[in-house]
């Protein structure tokens, strides 16, 4: 029997581009080079202790977090793989305090790239799945150096987003605004092959993911939601829930894209200087775009995450995403609290965590 050959990522992007005859090749070059970077990171991660890239770099990054060697190496791969192409005007990364400027020897392009080079990096030393997350925005039409403000665009302005996941298999998940498509790295060919076309996140679920060790810092709507899940069949939800926590958001997002579920890293009162744990530009927005394109949802708890206007490149935000009905329920709990859900006095008195306008 003759089998139909699978489509490569390159072919997929060429087919997509046929719909825009006026477009140049810049957009596809950008996505293919990001995919190439991800293959390079996948090989480096897979080498583990046999490679030269494990352990701590003994450096604290702009986030105040310890950098692993692989955080720095993955960041370098993203830069080296993309700064020469002529399609980018600048890049923002979790691992760099300021936007990266395209070196003067190279042409400046029409797109901006924001990325988390390695998400879940605390898991590297224990051989648990990590990944890379990226978001593509349009650059302002100008030859001047990029500014932080150029990246202050709501997630709804993204033209592409995706992630690579370095698990038992390496996969590249992509949206260019027409659904979400998954590509599996073929170890023989070294090519990403289309294996998961047009993914759909089921609207309902009985699986949730949250770091329960933060429960004393949660706002009441989150506590109410989790309590109701934990009450299972005996509570108002009338069904039992299962819980997961990988501490690698990209791996949680992948599970949810594959079989549904809801992920919560809500804003809380743990550190009043941080309105959440995850970063808007290169974690929340790209995952939000993927979720919405797959029929799911992504919220700050109060509004769609992709509608938030950023005010800083490393801005943190509360993030809840996954199965649509569940995300909408949690948003309702935030926006129409029960009478006995008195807001946490910390939020009330100080207004510390007001959502950006
Ligand atoms: P990063 O490794 O890029 O800093 O991101 C880690 C994030 C995210 O992947 C994960 O969901 C979360 O941090 C884990 O947080 P806890 O350590 O609080 O569980
Ligand atoms: Mn991350
Ligand atoms: Mn990271």
């Amino acid at each position: 029997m003759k089998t139909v050959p699978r489509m490569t990522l390159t072919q997929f992007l060429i087919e997509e581009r046929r719909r825009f005859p006026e477009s140049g090749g810049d957009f596809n070059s950008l996505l293919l080079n990001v995919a190439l970077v991800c293959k390079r990171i996948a090989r480096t991660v897979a080498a583990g202790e046999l490679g030269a890239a494990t352990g701590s770099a003994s450096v604290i990054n702009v986030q105040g977090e310890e950098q692993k060697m692989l955080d720095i190496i993955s960041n370098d791969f993203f830069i080296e793989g993309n700064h020469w192409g002529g399609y980018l005007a600048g890049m923002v990364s979790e691992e760099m305090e300021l936007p990266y400027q395209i070196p003067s020897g190279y042409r400046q392009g029409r797109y901006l790239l924001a990325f988390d080079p390695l998400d879940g990096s605390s898991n590297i030393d224990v051989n648990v799945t990590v990944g890379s997350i990226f978001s593509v925005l349009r650059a302002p039409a100008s030859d001047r150096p990029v500014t932080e403000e150029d990246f202050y665009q709501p997630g709804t302005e993204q033209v592409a987003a995706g992630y690579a996941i370095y698990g038992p298999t390496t996969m590249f998940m992509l949206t260019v605004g027409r659904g979400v498509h998954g590509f599996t790295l073929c170890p023989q060919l070294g090519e990403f092959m289309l294996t998961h076309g047009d993914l759909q996140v089921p609207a309902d679920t009985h699986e949730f993911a949250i770091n329960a060790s933060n429960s004393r810092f949660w706002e009441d709507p989150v506590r109410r939601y989790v309590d109701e899940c934990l009450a299972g069949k005996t509570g108002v939800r009338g069904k039992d829930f299962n819980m997961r926590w990988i501490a690698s958001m990209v791996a949680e997002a992948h599970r949810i894209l594959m079989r549904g579920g809801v992920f919560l890293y809500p804003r809380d009162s743990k550190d009043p200087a941080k309105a959440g744990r995850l970063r808007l530009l290169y974690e929340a927005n790209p995952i939000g775009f993927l979720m919405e394109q797959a029929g799911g949802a992504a919220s700050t708890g109060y509004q769609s995450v992709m509608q938030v206007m950023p005010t800083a490149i490393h801005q943190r935000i509360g993030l809840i995403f996954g199965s649509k009905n569940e995300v909408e329920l949690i948003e309702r709990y935030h926006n129409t609290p029960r009478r006995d859900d008195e807001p946490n006095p910390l939020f009330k008195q100080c207004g510390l965590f007001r959502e950006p306008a």
Side-chain angles (χ1 to χ4, degrees), residues 78 132 196:
F78 261 90
S132 305
H196 297 70

Side-chain angles (χ1 to χ4, degrees), residues 65 94 116 118-122 211 214 245 247-249 263 265 277-279 283:
E65 289 162 3
E94 178 190 337
D116 175 352
L118 208 58
D119 179 66
S121 55
S122 70
N211 183 344
N214 292 324
W245 189 251
S248 176
M249 198 245 320
F263 170 97
Y265 216 126
R277 166 84 167 86
L278 298 168
R279 277 68 46 125
E283 290 176 321

Side-chain angles (χ1 to χ4, degrees), residues 333-344:
Y333 284 3
H334 282 81
N335 291 328
T336 51
R338 294 178 304 185
R339 270 224 303 245
D340 53 337
D341 274 347
E342 269 300 292
N344 181 329

Side-chain angles (χ1 to χ4, degrees), residues 65-303:
E65 289 162 3
E66 179 208 15
Q67 280 180 315
K68 301 278 185 187
M69 286 297 289
L70 272 168
D71 286 319
I72 297 174
I73 289 167
S74 305
N75 191 64
D76 290 348
F77 287 176
F78 261 90
I79 303 267
E80 287 166 25
N82 287 290
H83 69 175
W84 56 271
Y87 44 74
L88 287 181
M91 299 183 233
V92 151
S93 161
E94 178 190 337
E95 307 302 340
M96 298 185 293
E97 186 174 0
L98 298 170
Y100 178 86
Q101 304 290 343
I102 301 302
S104 54
Y106 299 122
R107 191 162 65 87
Q108 207 159 320
R110 295 183 292 139
Y111 296 101
L112 300 172
L113 181 64
F115 57 90
D116 175 352
L118 208 58
D119 179 66
S121 55
S122 70
N123 282 319
I124 293 165
D125 299 340
V126 290
N127 200 7
V128 167
T129 297
V130 292
S132 305
I133 310 172
F134 66 93
S135 161
V136 181
L137 295 163
R138 287 186 205 285
S142 130
D143 282 341
R144 61 164 171 72
V146 282
T147 63
E148 297 185 42
E149 287 75 16
D150 292 336
F151 288 84
Y152 298 173
Q153 304 181 37
T156 49
E157 295 296 314
Q158 292 172 103
V159 290
Y163 64 80
I165 183 162
Y166 315 120
T169 56
T170 291
M171 290 190 72
F172 188 77
M173 313 299 290
L174 177 68
T175 183
V176 294
R178 290 203 332 134
V180 177
H181 310 283
F183 301 82
T184 303
L185 183 62
C186 169
Q188 283 77 32
L189 299 176
E191 286 278 355
F192 282 114
M193 313 300 287
L194 181 62
T195 46
H196 297 70
D198 210 8
L199 287 164
Q200 288 295 313
V201 176
D204 292 298
T205 184
H206 56 267
E207 208 160 55
F208 70 104
I210 193 164
N211 183 344
S213 73
N214 292 324
S215 61
R216 68 188 182 284
F217 304 114
W218 291 342
E219 292 184 276
D220 288 323
V222 172
R223 190 168 296 117
R224 172 184 176 189
Y225 175 75
V226 172
D227 283 349
E228 288 178 359
C229 291
L230 295 177
K233 273 197 183 113
T234 59
V236 292
R237 300 301 305 272
K239 63 176 181 179
D240 288 336
F241 280 76
N242 202 358
M243 200 179 93
R244 290 281 181 276
W245 189 251
I246 308 174
S248 176
M249 198 245 320
V250 74
E252 317 265 11
H254 193 69
R255 184 189 63 247
I256 289 170
L257 271 181
M258 291 294 146
R259 68 178 191 209
V262 63
F263 170 97
L264 303 93
Y265 216 126
R267 79 177 191 183
D268 61 31
S269 61
K270 191 173 184 176
D271 178 350
K274 295 175 184 164
R277 166 84 167 86
L278 298 168
R279 277 68 46 125
L280 177 59
L281 285 189
Y282 40 81
E283 290 176 321
N285 272 340
I287 297 298
F289 193 17
L290 289 162
M291 288 295 147
E292 288 198 10
Q293 283 293 316
S299 172
T300 65
Y302 296 87
Q303 64 177 130

